[in-house]
Amino acid sequence: YYTGMSYYKMRKLDDSISYFQKIINSYPKSKYVNKSKNMIEKIAQLKTKYKKMAKARAEQVKKEKKENNSK
């Protein structure tokens, strides 16, 4: 769990998910299962947020390029 948290804090989200998933699959009675599930959900929400931000930024850059080319 703590290795997964370390990766999460380093923003290595896919690596952290791997560790949380390993806890869920390998140690189903662990006290860290619910915490791991919560972290996976939190990371999924973050990834969705990052994708939306990246898309909005790409659209902004495209718009700025279009405006600059029309001048």
Side-chain angles (χ1 to χ4, degrees):
Y1 174 79
Y2 292 106
T3 302
M5 287 302 295
S6 295
Y7 279 114
Y8 171 76
K9 290 178 182 180
M10 291 187 293
R11 304 241 188 252
K12 294 186 175 190
L13 302 180
D14 291 332
D15 292 329
S16 66
I17 288 174
S18 295
Y19 280 90
F20 295 134
Q21 196 63 54
K22 184 173 183 171
I23 291 168
I24 294 166
N25 295 337
S26 299
Y27 308 99
K29 294 183 180 183
S30 170
K31 67 180 182 178
Y32 295 104
V33 168
N34 285 336
K35 290 181 179 186
S36 295
K37 288 178 181 178
N38 290 338
M39 287 305 299
I40 290 172
E41 185 176 324
K42 183 176 182 176
I43 292 167
Q45 291 172 354
L46 275 175
K47 289 177 109 178
T48 300
K49 180 181 174 183
Y50 291 159
K51 284 180 185 177
K52 287 180 183 178
M53 290 170 55
K55 184 177 179 181
R57 179 65 184 140
E59 289 174 5
Q60 181 182 6
V61 168
K62 187 177 179 180
K63 181 181 175 184
E64 289 172 359
K65 283 184 180 180
K66 186 176 180 180
E67 288 174 356
N68 288 338
N69 289 336
S70 66
K71 290 183 180 180

